[in-house]
Amino acid sequence: MKGIPSGTQIAGEIRARIRAETELAASAGVSYNKFFAKLASDHRKPDGLFVITPKMGPSIVETLPIRKFHGIGPATARKMARLGIETGLDLKGQTVGFLQHHFGKAGFYYYWAARGIDERPVRADRTRNPSAPRIQFPPIFSPANPCGMRFGKSPARCGGIARAPVFAAVLSPSR
């Protein structure tokens, strides 16, 4: 596909632009589905780019601690541990019926995630996570200097708060 940039190239350009415009680091993950793209973005934090290919996916998911799976918080992780599920490989060893019995409708997602399959759509228009990392800057702003001389006119820093950007890119396999 001539003229169409790769996801890795796009992620690199976005990271460079974030750095140039905000002087903030950004981590990026690129993969073939949302689950792996999010894992990849966490892999090289706070300032890196990582790609998970379809060939890498199965071995990554099998060694992944259960707590790293989307939707598995501390309570679910404890319940899974009581059932002998500590890693992606342990999770993959369960039937969909077993997982649905113990985890309800989320069991279906866990079954497929353990196999590296995630059909959740990527939404570019979602509301930002209010608990994402933030940096609070001292109150050096005034009506005459709304963005603070110290920080230039960076939109990410205007108003006194900068966010540490993290993003994930999901590539659809070529057909």
Side-chain angles (χ1 to χ4, degrees):
M1 293 190 170
K2 197 172 184 178
I4 298 175
S6 73
T8 306
Q9 180 184 353
I10 292 168
E13 290 173 6
I14 291 170
R15 289 181 62 246
R17 188 169 171 197
I18 290 169
R19 171 76 71 182
E21 292 182 16
T22 68
E23 298 176 18
L24 293 173
S27 62
V30 179
S31 195
Y32 58 97
N33 68 34
K34 189 173 182 174
F35 177 72
F36 285 124
K38 291 290 288 174
L39 287 176
S41 72
D42 287 344
H43 190 69
R44 294 264 168 90
K45 278 186 178 181
D47 189 23
L49 171 63
F50 192 70
V51 178
I52 297 177
T53 66
K55 186 175 180 178
M56 297 164 63
S59 63
I60 288 174
V61 79
E62 288 179 359
T63 60
L64 194 66
I66 206 66
R67 182 63 179 90
K68 297 285 187 176
F69 279 75
H70 170 78
I72 298 181
T76 303
R78 284 191 298 275
K79 183 175 181 178
M80 286 190 174
R82 286 192 301 270
L83 295 169
I85 303 169
E86 301 279 348
T87 66
L89 184 60
D90 298 333
L91 187 59
K92 189 176 180 180
Q94 308 305 316
T95 67
V96 70
F98 174 87
L99 293 171
Q100 286 182 315
H101 172 76
H102 289 283
F103 303 102
K105 63 183 178 181
F108 188 75
Y109 167 76
Y110 300 150
Y111 178 85
W112 289 111
R115 287 150 180 79
I117 299 168
D118 182 4
E119 299 294 332
R120 293 176 299 147
V122 175
R123 295 196 44 208
D125 62 341
R126 71 176 179 82
T127 304
R128 294 180 66 120
N129 180 354
S131 65
R134 294 173 183 247
I135 302 165
Q136 183 70 44
F137 293 104
I140 61 167
F141 304 93
S142 69
N145 187 19
C147 291
M149 290 292 291
R150 186 164 141 197
F151 304 117
K153 295 199 183 286
S154 167
R157 292 184 176 165
C158 192
I161 294 178
R163 300 180 70 83
V166 175
F167 58 95
V170 178
L171 302 178
S172 298
S174 300
R175 301 206 190 271

